[in-house]
Structure formats: structure tokens, C-alpha cells
Amino acid sequence: MKKIKFILSICLAVFSLSACSDFLEEKAKGILTTEEVKDAYEDALIAAYSSLGNDHYDVPLSLWPYGTVRSDDAYKGGSGTQDIAVFHFFEVSNNITTEFGEVDRLWYQCYVSISRANSAINAISSAGDFEGKEAKIAEARFLRGHFYFLLKILFKYVPYVDETTPITDYGTVSNRALTNDALWQKIVDDFKYGVDHLPVKQPEVGRPDKYAAAAYLAKTYLYKAYRQDMENSNAVTSINSDDLNNVVTYADMVIASDYDLEEDFAYNFLPGKYENGIESIFAVQYSGEDGTKFGRVNFGDLLSVPMKLGCCDFLKPSQTLVNAFSTQDGLPVDNYNTNESGYAEKNDPRLFHTVALPGLPYKYNEELIYENDWNRSPDTYGYYASLKENVDPTCDCFVEMAPFYANTKNRIVIRYADVLLMKAEALIELHRAEEARTLINKVRNRAKNSTIFVFYALDKINISLYKAEGWNESSARKALRWERRLELAMENGRFFDLVRWGIAEEVMNEYYSDEQSRRNYYVGAHFSANKHEYLPIPEQQIKFSKYLYKQNVGY
């Protein structure tokens, strides 16, 4: 998986022969052997896989600036508000323009990745008949579906190009050629092909199997279910029950497989033997010591390393997020956002796996206590750090890239807990709330037992399961949304959840109001409905299309 070659097509040379006897006696030239054909299409497929990690700290494919910093879970961090100022503007929903270079490069990187997937599909299709051909095409379509999913939740309306579209014609396909629903359907089609043709188990880690496709298909149907097809509005207009039933169907396929919850929540965010565990359904693979200078490291997420350990102290958990982990009788608290600093007396245990807190071990290392002086700009961004994507600096997976430090730990894209919660959400909206309670409690029960690594905080932990008494559709929906926040905090999906549920304006403006007294740069922050749910289409891309692309509403 380490070779990075880009094969656009397989060309068979035409040769001429002077006589039949010559043909019988001489080895044909210009003909690719079976192994050479296999190498060619496999190289094209590997090039598509390599796109998963071909990002940069200001163009991260983990989407941390857009899914977490743009939500109520985190501050941008860094040296101040001018440090990668574009991300600051998204954090406060102000001064967002169509000319941001970071957004343009993100769009471009996703389409480079899609182009590679399309080229792989063409290379495989041109290779003649061979065993497993459909599975190889399914791998490429899975990767294409992944990148279109990113584009869809970021921009809403994007041009759809597939393997039949010449690269030179990419700029001639309108980003409004497909409706909102039709574009979701294209992504559905790619993952459905994967469900139908991928094996139940891959011989190599990092390649998606049938259940990875099913999990991503369930996720796509969940987003598709929340209809917002109105031309000048991003408001949720309805929730489609057929799509929700498909969420249940494909989530059940994953639930019936060998995937499951890890015994301890922490196992999902540790390197080495913990990677590609039972809960990791699809993950971006990173590695070191592969002959390159630094190895195949996670360059997109390296900015979140605390300043005391290297650089650059970005992606700082918000006080609002820390407060959200507080519990009363083991359950989330309605009036939770009251602490101006520090954490509550009793908390959901996932707090200590998610947020580095002053005075406590960093990444479970008792000899490495996280302190206030680890922070770069505490007067601006406070004293917390993000844990999930980071590693213990004593690990050989911690890679110096002066002035930065990266790591080789995998980044999970979809894990089993997410699938359980996706199914629970669909069941609630299908008026089957009691069934959802069982799934939510399964996730909470795992959290309750995730104390192996945070034994130093046992006196600060209290978590309970939801009881049948008082459980109804409204309380179930509220519980589900809490659970997604606590379970998946800092995993870069929070903002997209808020948009899917149609509550981004309400939640974000309440957050800005609460945080103004803690972070004075939030004064004047305001989220505008029917605008800030999506990024603007980059002006450079509109020019590339000779103004064929239509700008998103509000910009």
C-alpha cells in the first residue's frame, strides 16, 4: 500500500507480424502479461487509496476545522485568532468569503482523489475478465463514495463526475445538474455496489469489506433521509421513512457481522496493537519506517499536539464541551453549561478519554502530567487539549518533523458505536423509540466500563443507563443527540450532525452567547441560517467552470 503511482489507463500496443511462422516462433511484444495487467490496475487502485492520507495541516481530510471547530465542541487554538485566520472565521461564523485558499484546496484535493478512483475503475474495467474483478471495482467505488460524501456534507451542491467523464470535462459539469436528493443517490449507488461485491473479509488491512460499505451506506441513507431540497433554504423539510428503513437494514448487516464494541472506549484511540480492532470498521492507515523521510504519518491532524510537546496547540476542546460531560444521577444534565472553568464533580467517563485536563495524566501516562504551561495561548483558548487523535510522546509512533510532531496512529473513519447510534436515530424517527433505548444503553454501558486507563479519575465518574420509565419519542431523540455528542466528541462530525438535524442555528447561537463571557473573541459571532450550514463554492472553482457552477445560498 506504500507505492504511489497514478495510472490513467492501460494501453495495449498494436503490433504487426510478417508471417504465421514468425508469430509461432517469436514472443509477442507490446502485450501485457496477466501479472503486468494486475500490477497496472492495482497500482491505479493504490494511488486512489493513497489519497486518503494525501492531506495537509491546513487542508485536513479529517475535517477538524469544519466538523469540530465550526461546532460547539472546540476552539480553533494556535497562537491566536490570526493563526490560520480562515479557520477562526469559520469558528465564529463571520467574514467568510468565497476566496479562501484553504477551502479551494480542500475542494481540489477531493476531486483529485475522485479522479484517481475513476481512473482505477477504468483501469480495472479494461483489464479483461479475472476473478474478483467486481470486488476491485467496488474498492474504487467505495473510495469515490467516501470523497463525494465529504464534498456533500461540506458544500451540499457539487458537480458529479464518474469514470465516464473525461478529466478535461470536469469543469463542464454543473454543480446543480443533480438535485440534493439525486446527488445523495449517486453516493448511495457507490456504497451499494460495495455491499453487493466486496468480500466479507479483506486479506489486507485498510481495504474496505462488505460491512464497511454497509456502514457507510447506512450513514449516507441517514443524511439523505433529512430532506432539504429547497432552492434557497437549508432547512430540513421532512424525514423520509424509506431512507430510515434502509439505515436500519444496513446497520443490521453490520451488527450481525463480527464487528463489535471494544471492551474499553480507550482502545479506539491508542496506537500499535490496538489499531484495526474489532470496532474499527474503516480507518485511514498510517505508518512509519517505510523508506521515506518521515513515513506515512497523519500530517492532517498534527497541529493539535500540545505546545509543551512540540507544536502547535490547535483544536482545543471548549468549556461548553467539557461541561457537557457532567452528570446528575449518572445522566446528562439539562442545565449543564454552568462551569466557567474546570469540570464537574461527577462526569461521564468519556470526558477523561477525550479531553486533556490540567493535573491529570496525558494519554494515560502517570509519569506525564498535563499542566497549564503546556498551552500556547491560554488567555485566548484556555487550558484543554484534544486527546483522541494524539499519542503518548514516549511512543515510537510519535514522529518529529521539526517544528511539528505527527504520529502514525490510524484515524478511524467509521466505528461500530457510530453504527449503533445511527440505527438508534433511525428507529426514533420511525417511532420505535424503545428499540433505540437498547442500542443507546449498549453504548453507554461500554462507556461505564471504560475505566481501565482512567483509574485515577474514578471518584469523578458517574454514569447510568436510561430506564424505560419516562422514555418516549421526545426524550429518546434528546438522549440520542446527547449520546452522539459524548461518544463521538472531537471526531469531527458534530457540526454535520447539527446541520442534519436542522438545529445548527439554534445550537450555535446559544453557544456563542454562552461562550462570550469565557472567550471575548466570540463577541459578535453569529450563525446565519440558510447560509452557514455549508461552505461557499470556492470562487476559483466557479472561474474554472467559466461561471457554470452556481454559488451556495447566502454567499
Side-chain angles (χ1 to χ4, degrees):
M1 298 289 290
K2 306 304 178 190
K3 293 187 295 181
I4 303 177
K5 298 181 181 178
F6 192 18
I7 310 297
L8 293 177
S9 62
I10 300 173
C11 299
L12 298 178
V14 177
F15 62 94
S16 61
L17 300 169
S18 59
C20 184
S21 60
D22 294 334
F23 173 76
L24 294 174
E25 294 171 4
E26 295 184 10
K27 180 181 177 180
K29 299 177 181 179
I31 298 271
L32 295 178
T33 68
T34 301
E35 285 303 311
E36 288 171 333
V37 169
K38 179 180 178 181
D39 287 345
Y41 74 67
E42 189 63 34
D43 284 348
L45 188 55
I46 289 171
Y49 275 108
S50 74
S51 292
L52 293 168
N54 283 355
D55 53 354
H56 190 262
Y57 61 73
D58 62 354
V59 190
L61 292 175
S62 64
L63 306 187
W64 63 262
Y66 309 105
T68 297
V69 169
R70 199 159 50 132
S71 79
D72 50 349
D73 276 2
Y75 315 128
K76 174 183 70 67
S79 66
T81 58
Q82 294 305 308
D83 195 355
I84 313 186
V86 166
F87 296 165
H88 166 72
F89 296 142
F90 283 117
E91 182 186 348
V92 298
S93 299
N94 266 334
N95 299 314
I96 298 173
T97 77
T98 64
E99 298 179 348
F100 288 158
E102 290 83 351
V103 176
D104 178 55
R105 292 198 301 277
L106 180 58
W107 172 291
Y108 175 77
Q109 182 59 43
C110 285
Y111 274 104
V112 167
S113 304
I114 288 166
S115 177
R116 289 187 175 194
N118 286 337
S119 295
I121 293 169
N122 281 328
I124 298 164
S125 299
S126 301
D129 294 332
F130 62 90
E131 185 177 355
K133 180 174 184 174
E134 291 83 2
K136 290 298 181 183
I137 292 174
E139 288 184 48
R141 290 189 65 169
F142 179 97
L143 295 171
R144 181 173 69 185
H146 166 72
F147 284 104
Y148 269 122
F149 186 91
L150 299 187
L151 285 166
K152 188 73 179 70
I153 61 176
L154 288 166
F155 296 100
K156 186 175 182 177
Y157 290 111
V158 297
Y160 185 84
V161 296
D162 62 16
E163 72 277 12
T164 67
T165 311
I167 294 174
T168 54
D169 290 351
Y170 277 20
T172 67
V173 180
S174 171
N175 68 325
R176 297 299 181 98
L178 297 177
T179 64
N180 186 48
D181 189 56
L183 185 51
W184 277 125
Q185 186 59 46
K186 288 289 189 181
I187 302 171
V188 162
D189 292 343
D190 275 346
F191 292 128
K192 181 62 167 62
Y193 190 91
V195 170
D196 292 341
H197 296 288
L198 285 169
V200 297
K201 186 175 179 61
Q202 287 279 14
E204 294 179 298
V205 297
R207 295 180 188 265
D209 58 25
K210 175 186 291 287
Y211 304 112
Y216 226 142
L217 183 55
K219 186 173 185 176
T220 304
Y221 269 123
L222 184 61
Y223 275 79
K224 182 175 179 288
Y226 291 80
R227 300 300 169 85
Q228 44 170 260
D229 281 318
M230 298 170 64
E231 177 70 17
N232 295 310
S233 173
N234 297 325
V236 175
T237 56
S238 62
I239 307 177
N240 184 273
S241 60
D242 289 338
D243 288 338
L244 294 175
N245 280 314
N246 280 319
V247 174
V248 174
T249 295
Y250 292 105
D252 278 343
M253 183 180 293
V254 180
I255 292 169
S257 74
D258 291 336
Y259 289 103
D260 205 344
L261 294 176
E262 290 280 10
E263 178 185 358
D264 193 289
F265 184 72
Y267 293 170
N268 291 297
F269 312 106
L270 290 171
K273 66 180 182 180
Y274 298 101
E275 294 176 298
N276 299 307
I278 195 170
E279 190 167 341
S280 177
I281 296 174
F282 184 70
V284 180
Q285 307 291 311
Y286 297 104
S287 63
E289 300 180 357
D290 59 2
T292 61
K293 185 175 182 179
F294 299 115
R296 186 68 167 169
V297 297
N298 185 350
F299 200 61
D301 291 332
L302 59 76
L303 290 184
S304 66
V305 174
M307 206 65 187
K308 182 85 169 186
L309 301 178
C311 186
C312 292
D313 207 33
F314 278 72
L315 188 60
K316 309 278 283 178
S318 69
Q319 184 63 49
T320 294
L321 175 63
V322 171
N323 290 345
F325 285 96
S326 62
T327 62
Q328 184 175 350
D329 298 326
L331 296 175
V333 181
D334 284 339
N335 187 27
Y336 74 96
N337 202 9
T338 56
N339 281 357
E340 293 303 308
S341 63
Y343 52 96
E345 182 178 348
K346 296 296 181 181
N347 302 271
D348 187 298
R350 288 169 289 193
L351 169 65
F352 304 100
H353 297 281
T354 304
V355 182
L357 301 159
L360 296 181
Y362 180 79
K363 287 303 286 192
Y364 319 119
N365 186 341
E366 288 185 273
E367 298 180 358
L368 189 63
I369 304 302
Y370 179 80
E371 300 291 0
N372 287 343
D373 65 0
W374 288 38
N375 293 273
R376 188 178 185 183
S377 304
D379 290 342
T380 305
Y381 294 117
Y383 294 97
Y384 307 129
S386 180
L387 284 177
K388 287 181 175 179
E389 73 278 15
N390 280 310
V391 299
D392 183 337
T394 64
C395 174
D396 60 6
C397 60
F398 193 54
V399 181
E400 181 179 0
M401 307 171 63
F404 306 112
Y405 282 80
N407 67 68
T408 62
K409 179 170 66 69
N410 289 355
R411 176 174 60 81
I412 297 177
V413 176
I414 298 183
R415 56 188 178 89
Y416 188 82
D418 193 3
V419 174
L420 294 179
L421 295 177
M422 287 191 287
K423 180 182 176 183
E425 182 176 338
L427 289 172
I428 291 166
E429 302 306 334
L430 287 168
H431 316 296
R432 297 161 60 183
E434 179 56 29
E435 295 173 69
R437 185 173 69 90
T438 301
L439 296 170
I440 294 170
N441 276 342
K442 184 173 183 178
V443 176
R444 289 185 67 80
N445 190 60
R446 191 272 296 277
K448 183 178 181 179
N449 293 312
S450 296
T451 56
I452 299 172
F453 291 90
V454 295
F455 58 89
Y456 47 79
L458 293 180
D459 62 330
K460 304 174 181 70
I461 289 172
N462 187 17
I463 180 172
S464 301
L465 306 186
Y466 286 102
K467 298 178 181 179
E469 182 181 357
W471 187 264
N472 53 47
E473 192 169 305
S474 177
S475 64
R477 183 178 297 109
K478 180 179 178 181
L480 178 280
R481 293 178 179 182
W482 267 109
E483 200 60 27
R484 284 197 66 84
R485 185 177 196 186
L486 301 179
E487 175 71 18
L488 302 169
M490 306 301 287
E491 294 182 49
N492 309 319
R494 170 67 173 171
F495 181 80
F496 307 118
D497 281 349
L498 298 178
V499 173
R500 182 175 75 255
W501 297 328
I503 61 173
E505 178 191 25
E506 172 191 347
V507 170
M508 291 309 300
N509 284 330
E510 180 180 351
Y511 168 71
Y512 291 150
S513 177
D514 289 340
E515 286 283 344
Q516 284 180 15
S517 62
R518 302 165 183 155
R519 305 282 168 258
N520 59 21
Y521 67 84
Y522 275 117
V523 174
H526 181 75
F527 187 97
S528 297
N530 301 321
K531 177 180 180 180
H532 289 139
E533 293 90 351
Y534 296 96
L535 304 183
I537 307 299
E539 183 65 24
Q540 284 295 100
Q541 299 303 322
I542 292 177
K543 291 177 180 177
F544 165 70
S545 74
K546 298 180 180 179
Y547 296 91
L548 174 66
Y549 298 166
K550 185 176 179 181
Q551 185 56 265
N552 281 335
V553 63
Y555 293 102

